[in-house]
Amino acid sequence: MSRQNKDNKVDEFRLDLVEANTHKQLWSMKFTKIGFILSVVAAVVFVIILFFCLFTFTPLRRTIPGYPDESSKKAAIQNAIRVDSLERIISRWELYSENLRRVVDGEKPLRIDSLIRSGGTGYGKSKQELQEKDSLLRLNVMNEERFELSNRERRDLPIEGIHFFTPLKGMISQGYDKAVHPFIDITAPANSVVAAVLDGTVISSGWNDDAGYTICIQHSNDIISIYKHNNKLLKKTGDKVNAGTPIAIIGGTGSISTGEHLHFELWYKGEPVDATKYINF
């Protein structure tokens, strides 16, 4: 019986804290092997929970690589807003280009309310139809470029469908009169820069006794622009210019000039036209 009780006895351990010189017992703790293992496991679990709470509910979570902070969240929201704005701008440009194509082809422009009813910028067509038309357009362009059949350079647009660059920002001192003065005069501060209204080639650049320093540019679609009474010319005959390129400095040269201003002429298919109808001065 005593042997059985001895076998069933649980082994106990004691951890003592003793002063080295006096051997006085300062602290003592008894524990068993199972109790020690459970204590270690509980301590590990407590440490894990503690670190989880620190990195979840405190600013320490920002130290984790890849964790989004407030600034990155704010930037993501701003980028989403910008993307939405860009989508709206692209939709407006798609509508503008489609209406411009329809006007050039003599078709009826699209209405915004019809786009809303059709549910987007697809102009009432399904995605499959748009993809098929896009594929056919790409194929036609490739064939034209392959056999040099493209007439893009020779395509004439009506003057109403052309976007002009303003040659000079100023005040119109004398407007267009088809019988008396089929041109316009623009006044502006001294040394103001005169710019080309469209891409083109300078066909005349030099001095004229009546008009002073004059420059003449040939554009596509049978359009010619003429700039007179300049103080200085920045381009010479034969130069290629782009829309908005500086070509002269405003002046008052020439015998018929009454002061510093730009005498601007716009010719379309051999006839002078009122530039104020197509250009915002």
Side-chain angles (χ1 to χ4, degrees):
M1 185 71 179
S2 60
R3 182 180 181 88
Q4 184 178 1
N5 292 335
K6 186 177 180 180
D7 293 338
N8 294 334
K9 185 179 180 180
V10 178
D11 295 332
E12 291 185 351
F13 302 89
R14 188 176 70 178
L15 181 63
D16 293 330
L17 182 64
V18 180
E19 188 177 352
N21 295 328
T22 62
H23 298 284
K24 181 180 178 181
Q25 185 177 5
L26 300 177
W27 178 77
S28 178
M29 184 183 70
K30 292 183 179 181
F31 57 91
T32 63
K33 183 183 295 185
I34 296 177
F36 176 75
I37 294 174
L38 293 176
S39 299
V40 172
V41 172
V44 172
V45 171
F46 174 77
V47 172
I48 293 174
I49 294 175
L50 177 63
F51 274 91
F52 175 79
C53 293
L54 287 175
F55 283 97
T56 303
F57 304 106
T58 67
L60 288 176
R61 63 180 180 271
R62 298 178 182 175
T63 61
I64 301 176
Y67 192 90
D69 54 8
E70 296 299 327
S71 60
S72 61
K73 291 180 179 178
K74 185 177 180 180
I77 295 174
Q78 291 177 347
N79 290 334
I81 295 174
R82 291 192 185 100
V83 169
D84 182 69
S85 300
L86 288 174
E87 288 179 349
R88 294 177 181 271
I89 293 173
I90 291 173
S91 298
R92 290 198 297 267
W93 274 107
E94 287 179 348
L95 175 60
Y96 172 79
S97 60
E98 177 66 13
N99 277 339
L100 180 60
R101 183 193 66 78
R102 286 173 172 260
V103 170
V104 171
D105 294 341
E107 301 178 7
K108 186 178 180 181
L110 291 170
R111 296 176 59 88
I112 297 179
D113 54 355
S114 64
L115 292 180
I116 296 175
R117 288 195 299 268
S118 64
T121 59
Y123 314 119
K125 302 173 183 176
S126 65
K127 184 176 180 181
Q128 183 178 359
E129 290 176 337
L130 292 175
Q131 290 178 347
E132 291 177 355
K133 288 198 171 185
D134 180 71
S135 301
L136 291 175
L137 177 61
R138 292 176 181 271
L139 181 61
N140 291 335
V141 171
M142 291 177 60
N143 291 333
E144 289 178 353
E145 292 180 348
R146 179 182 178 184
F147 298 104
E148 299 181 352
L149 297 177
S150 176
N151 59 351
R152 288 174 297 175
E153 298 298 331
R154 294 178 282 115
R155 182 183 180 186
D156 292 335
L157 293 174
I159 192 171
E160 293 82 5
I162 298 175
H163 177 71
F164 291 88
F165 192 90
T166 305
L168 178 68
K169 279 291 185 180
M171 182 180 297
I172 298 178
S173 58
Q174 187 172 358
Y176 178 90
D177 189 310
K178 187 174 182 180
V180 180
H181 189 265
F183 323 109
I184 61 172
D185 293 335
I186 310 166
T187 59
N191 297 322
S192 296
V193 176
V194 179
V197 294
L198 292 172
D199 298 348
T201 303
V202 178
I203 57 176
S204 177
S205 178
W207 172 263
N208 181 282
D209 291 337
D210 293 334
Y213 286 108
T214 303
I215 186 168
C216 180
I217 303 177
Q218 174 70 63
H219 311 286
S220 58
N221 302 304
D222 294 330
I223 297 176
I224 296 177
S225 58
I226 302 175
Y227 316 77
K228 296 181 179 180
H229 304 309
N230 299 288
N231 186 47
K232 182 180 180 181
L233 301 179
L234 304 179
K235 297 295 180 180
K236 61 182 183 297
T237 302
D239 287 347
K240 299 286 186 179
V241 296
N242 296 324
T245 301
I247 58 174
I249 303 297
I250 191 175
T253 59
S255 60
I256 62 174
S257 175
T258 58
E260 288 199 355
H261 71 283
L262 172 65
H263 176 100
F264 178 70
E265 303 179 13
L266 186 64
W267 293 71
Y268 178 57
K269 293 187 176 180
E271 295 183 0
V273 295
D274 186 1
T276 58
K277 292 182 178 180
Y278 316 107
I279 305 175
N280 183 24
F281 292 93

